[in-house]
Amino acid sequence: MEEEEDSPYPEVRASVSNYDDTEMPVLTFRTLFLGIIFGCFIGGMNCFFTFRYPSPLFTPIIIQTISYPIGKFLAWLLPDREWKVPKRLQFLAGETVSFNPGPFNIKEHTAIVIMVNAAGSPLLAVNFSVTLEKFWDVHHGVGFDFLLALSTSMLGFGVAGLTRRFLVWPASLIWPQNLVYCTLFNTLHAEEDKEGGGITRYQFFKWAGTAAFFWYFFPGFIFQALSYFSFICWIKPDNVVVNQLFGVSTGLGMSMITFDWSQIAYIGNPLVVPWWAEINVFVGFVLAFWILTPALYYSNVWYTGYLPISTSGVFDRFGASYNTTAVINVGTKSLNETAYQEYSPLFLPISYAMNYGLACALTTALITHTALYHGPDIWRRLKGMRKEEEDIHIKLMRNYKEVPEWWYMLYLAGFVATAVATVVHWETEMPVWGLVVSLLFGALYVLPGGFVYAMTTQQITLNILVEMMAGYMMPGKALGNSLFKLYAIQPIGFALTFVQDLKLGHYMKLPPRVTFLLQIMGMLCSCILQVGIKVWLTRSVHDLCDPHQAAYLSCPNSRIFFSSSITWGLIGPEKQFSVGKFYNPLLWAFLAGAIAPIPLWYMGKRYPNSWYTKVSVPVMLTGCMWMPPATGINFSSWFLFGYIFQSWARRRHFRWWSKFNFTLAASLDCGTSISLIFIFCTLYLPKGGTIFLDWWGNNVFVNTADYNGVSYLTPPEEGFGPTTWK
């Protein structure tokens, strides 16, 4: 009997079906109705909560879970009458259309999730426009808000479509995060998959998800010390060095373990990320933050001994948080040089300075690594040649018409023009040449970032480099700096999100032109709704963004935009990173990052069966970008769970792993997320967040030097650092 063709990768075989029913309806009334409703709901909720601190995040896996019973309910409720479709529209819906074409199917379910994923992410453009109004007193109106949101998101959509041959079609780019979605789809829609009388994946998902839901009440509310499990700090709460090394608030997190799944999966679900990538991330973290960082800190390099060892804030020469409003003229949006000279230069905590250096290394390492490891394949695909053998999934997708590349090119050109019109028509401090540079810079990193994201689930972060570039190119332009970052960063993020969903549609055998339409509709709904919510909040909440706002609508993301615009736009990198300045040595990391992949690539070519082939400098550096605000406990517990499931269980219990590993990953994420939102809405929101269990288990980690951010050295009253600065 001939063996059935399947993917060459066991992860994909365990999660993705190698069968396709081309007659299965996709673009149905149920798809559009539930996609729009849930897309508006999750996009609106995430937009509202992005202005609040603390806040939950509504993830697509929640909608994936709750849309299933609702879809089945609509299949029972709706009439099954059919209407004939005009020939010009039959490529979307077939020859006939009905409110109820049959049982709620797996492709409809996938289409809903893709639409929700396109609509669900909070738009940075909305936070930027709130920054303009609330912190700079600049009011451009609804038209500016909408065009800014639309152009920054749709640019990513246009770029995503042009990368399909590099990031979607190759079988070797498995996109591990999509395997969780695929497993859950197949689990929900194949309830009869009993094997030898054992428990089904659907039953396993229900039990594990329910357990995760109820367990999170302990670290999330009842016994919060289980989340911040720095037990050594509880024993020595006043020992500064112990708290800095083992603490999990402003320490390096050497306590190793936590019992909170949201902490364990903070840098990615460890049951999904490939084991080789987890080793790279953890080794990179240990070298950078458990070895090099303490060595520099306790040597008081850059006066960091006077600051907390790990935090993402910036400080003045007195060891206090930097008061950015003390050095600006808000009316003219300019730096008050006299106030700056009288006050203080900026000082970075050692972990934040380390993050800057690693970010510089990452930007060049990505380019070198991509050229060495993927350059030949990119060139062959540009010429229309293929080296990698096609798998069953791309063969099955040939049954559907592909989206021509000129469709995406047309969208890209249209929204580049929209972006130009936006920065020209309104006073934005952004010249057209600055916009072009920001877009080109972002486009340069889509492929390198896509390769890393597709293989490891780690998304690259280029914020610091982008802000530094803008600071040098447009000195003294606070708004221009923020807008430069927005147009360079947000299209990359959305491009990778869209590519991820294109791969999900590829795995689940959705017609590409349907996926194309769903993503456009989802993104358009998101832009309209989120801009509307922003307008409603700014007009109806008079103290929006006030630190003491009654509903906690303190706008944390908008504050980050404001602080960054001052740090990098007004004060600027020239005062901090230029030749002879304090942090100039960090720029040598650009050279180090460019060189680092070369010897590893050479050794991998010379010894193809050695461990050199598993080392990836960009993956090591990308993982480190979570620090801060992440701490070591996020990395160590993540690595431990990765070893148990992605190494030990996969090697020793492969049959169990192939059936249940990704189901367990989905159930832990889903149960914990729903529990977090339930706790937030029922226990934190009522009574202004005053519902609290006041006992040792919720207080012990608070009464420590770690939680209070105590520094190793006490700042002198006259301040530390240089006596003069420019």
Side-chain angles (χ1 to χ4, degrees):
M1 183 176 179
E2 186 177 351
E3 186 177 354
E4 190 176 51
E5 184 178 1
D6 209 336
S7 170
Y9 300 96
E11 302 95 325
V12 180
R13 291 198 300 271
S15 309
V16 184
S17 173
N18 61 343
Y19 169 78
D20 179 37
D21 179 1
T22 57
E23 300 300 319
M24 188 178 290
V26 183
L27 198 64
T28 66
F29 171 79
R30 293 183 302 227
T31 298
L32 297 178
F33 177 74
L34 293 180
I36 292 173
I37 293 295
F38 283 127
C40 289
F41 171 77
I42 195 172
M45 294 302 289
N46 282 338
C47 177
F48 175 82
F49 281 120
T50 195
F51 296 112
R52 192 184 191 279
Y53 182 84
S55 65
L57 179 67
F58 288 79
T59 59
I61 199 167
I62 297 174
I63 302 303
Q64 184 183 11
T65 305
I66 65 177
S67 62
Y68 174 68
I70 297 176
K72 295 190 73 172
F73 173 73
L74 290 179
W76 171 82
L77 177 68
L78 294 173
D80 56 3
R81 179 185 172 185
E82 293 185 349
W83 288 272
K84 190 172 182 180
V85 177
K87 288 186 177 180
R88 292 183 179 181
L89 299 178
Q90 288 181 4
F91 76 96
L92 290 176
E95 295 181 1
T96 60
V97 67
S98 170
F99 282 120
N100 193 351
F104 182 63
N105 66 66
I106 195 169
K107 291 192 178 184
E108 288 178 290
H109 200 177
T110 305
I112 291 168
V113 171
I114 287 177
M115 194 170 179
V116 167
N117 211 20
S121 298
L123 299 176
L124 289 178
V126 172
N127 281 281
F128 171 75
S129 62
V130 170
T131 304
L132 290 182
E133 294 186 19
K134 290 297 181 178
F135 294 96
W136 291 110
D137 197 28
V138 174
H139 301 265
H140 287 324
V142 178
F144 172 81
D145 294 344
F146 180 70
L147 291 180
L148 184 67
L150 196 64
S151 59
T152 51
S153 55
M154 285 300 194
L155 284 168
F157 175 73
V159 172
L162 300 178
T163 65
R164 290 169 298 167
R165 67 179 66 192
F166 309 109
L167 299 177
V168 177
W169 298 338
S172 58
L173 298 182
I174 64 174
W175 291 85
Q177 56 271 57
N178 278 336
L179 302 184
V180 176
Y181 289 115
C182 294
T183 299
L184 185 52
F185 282 132
N186 289 313
T187 297
L188 295 174
H189 291 270
E191 300 174 24
E192 71 283 356
D193 70 339
K194 283 186 178 286
E195 296 180 10
I199 186 174
T200 67
R201 291 198 299 181
Y202 183 62
Q203 291 170 331
F204 184 86
F205 172 80
K206 288 192 295 184
W207 284 108
T210 301
F213 175 87
F214 286 108
W215 170 253
Y216 187 72
F217 275 80
F218 288 94
F221 185 76
I222 299 171
F223 192 178
Q224 296 176 27
L226 292 173
S227 178
Y228 300 92
F229 200 68
S230 52
F231 63 96
I232 299 178
C233 299
W234 309 345
I235 300 171
K236 297 286 187 179
D238 299 319
N239 188 307
V240 174
V241 174
V242 167
N243 278 258
Q244 289 178 335
L245 295 179
F246 295 94
V248 298
S249 294
T250 60
L252 297 179
M254 295 184 184
S255 300
M256 300 297 291
I257 190 66
T258 176
F259 297 93
D260 180 353
W261 180 252
S262 66
Q263 292 270 34
I264 295 168
Y266 183 78
I267 61 174
N269 192 316
L271 279 65
V272 176
V273 181
W275 176 235
W276 70 267
E278 292 176 326
I279 295 175
N280 274 269
V281 169
F282 190 64
V283 169
F285 164 76
V286 169
L287 292 174
F289 289 99
W290 278 1
I291 296 176
L292 184 56
T293 293
L296 295 174
Y297 181 75
Y298 294 115
S299 300
N300 200 25
V301 173
W302 297 315
Y303 302 98
T304 53
Y306 294 108
L307 310 174
I309 193 170
S310 182
T311 178
S312 54
V314 293
F315 294 81
D316 60 25
R317 61 194 176 98
F318 306 103
S321 295
Y322 199 90
N323 184 7
T324 53
T325 57
V327 297
I328 62 171
N329 298 310
V330 177
T332 59
K333 298 186 288 293
S334 60
L335 178 67
N336 186 328
E337 287 285 355
T338 302
Y340 175 73
Q341 295 297 331
E342 293 175 351
Y343 176 42
S344 174
L346 287 168
F347 289 93
L348 305 176
I350 189 60
S351 60
Y352 207 9
M354 180 65 67
N355 182 286
Y356 276 34
L358 295 174
C360 294
L362 174 62
T363 55
T364 50
L366 274 169
I367 300 299
T368 303
H369 179 91
T370 301
L372 294 174
Y373 288 84
H374 303 286
D377 186 56
I378 292 174
W379 179 246
R380 278 189 291 267
R381 290 181 182 277
L382 284 173
K383 294 192 298 182
M385 300 166 56
R386 292 186 178 91
K387 179 182 178 182
E388 184 177 293
E389 186 176 347
E390 294 181 342
D391 70 345
I392 181 62
H393 301 295
I394 195 168
K395 292 177 182 177
L396 291 174
M397 286 298 288
R398 288 216 182 91
N399 293 317
Y400 306 101
K401 287 185 178 181
E402 191 53 76
V403 178
E405 288 195 342
W406 68 265
W407 288 18
Y408 288 105
M409 291 180 181
L410 189 63
Y411 264 86
L412 186 60
F415 286 105
V416 168
T418 303
V420 172
T422 302
V423 301
V424 169
H425 182 73
W426 286 276
E427 180 57 47
T428 60
E429 296 186 352
M430 168 71 89
V432 174
W433 64 263
L435 173 66
V436 172
V437 172
S438 68
L439 295 178
L440 290 176
F441 179 83
L444 176 66
Y445 280 93
V446 169
L447 278 184
F451 287 127
V452 172
Y453 195 33
M455 294 187 289
T456 70
T457 77
Q458 297 293 314
Q459 195 161 356
I460 63 170
T461 302
L462 301 172
N463 293 38
I464 293 171
L465 178 66
V466 168
E467 290 168 333
M468 186 183 296
M469 285 178 56
Y472 277 115
M473 293 191 309
M474 298 178 290
K477 302 294 185 182
L479 305 187
N481 188 285
S482 294
L483 204 56
F484 185 96
K485 178 176 74 170
L486 186 64
Y487 273 110
I489 295 300
Q490 184 156 303
I492 297 178
F494 274 110
L496 296 182
T497 298
F498 286 131
V499 172
Q500 178 185 337
D501 285 343
L502 288 173
K503 187 71 173 188
L504 180 60
H506 180 86
Y507 277 150
M508 301 305 297
K509 317 301 179 298
L510 261 63
R513 297 188 177 192
V514 171
T515 304
F516 177 86
L517 179 63
L518 292 171
Q519 290 184 318
I520 292 176
M521 292 177 64
M523 199 67 255
L524 188 60
C525 289
S526 176
C527 291
I528 295 172
L529 183 68
Q530 295 196 41
V531 169
I533 289 174
K534 175 260 173 183
V535 172
W536 166 63
L537 285 174
T538 53
R539 292 180 180 178
S540 60
V541 182
H542 70 278
D543 59 345
L544 180 68
C545 300
D546 188 289
H548 306 292
Q549 208 279 330
Y552 300 97
L553 297 173
S554 58
C555 309
N557 293 298
S558 298
R559 288 184 177 279
I560 291 173
F561 259 114
F562 179 63
S563 298
S564 297
S565 68
I566 295 171
T567 303
W568 296 103
L570 290 189
I571 298 175
E574 185 177 354
K575 297 180 184 296
Q576 305 168 70
F577 292 94
S578 294
V579 176
K581 301 298 182 181
F582 215 51
Y583 297 106
N584 177 258
L586 289 173
L587 300 187
W588 285 101
F590 284 115
L591 179 61
I595 295 174
I598 298 175
L600 293 169
W601 171 80
Y602 173 77
M603 296 301 289
K605 287 290 184 181
R606 186 169 183 178
Y607 305 104
N609 296 321
S610 68
W611 59 269
Y612 292 109
T613 59
K614 298 295 185 181
V615 179
S616 172
V617 174
V619 174
M620 296 174 74
L621 296 173
T622 299
C624 291
M625 293 298 99
W626 290 96
M627 281 284 294
T631 65
I633 204 170
N634 301 116
F635 287 85
S636 56
S637 56
W638 174 81
F639 183 73
L640 175 62
F641 271 76
Y643 170 76
I644 293 171
F645 290 98
Q646 289 291 65
S647 178
W648 180 79
R650 179 170 173 168
R651 287 184 290 106
R652 298 293 184 89
H653 305 280
F654 183 77
R655 185 176 179 183
W656 182 95
W657 180 90
S658 62
K659 182 178 181 181
F660 292 121
N661 181 70
F662 291 104
T663 305
L664 179 60
S667 62
L668 290 173
D669 278 351
C670 186
T672 303
S673 298
I674 294 175
S675 181
L676 188 153
I677 292 170
F678 180 83
I679 291 171
F680 180 84
C681 294
T682 59
L683 298 174
Y684 285 145
L685 278 182
K687 297 185 178 180
T690 58
I691 301 176
F692 177 73
L693 296 180
D694 188 7
W695 74 291
W696 177 87
N698 286 339
N699 295 324
V700 62
F701 62 92
V702 175
N703 302 315
T704 61
D706 163 52
Y707 190 86
N708 295 307
V710 177
S711 61
Y712 178 59
L713 301 175
T714 302
E717 290 185 8
E718 68 276 13
F720 55 83
T723 55
T724 59
W725 51 90
K726 295 182 179 180

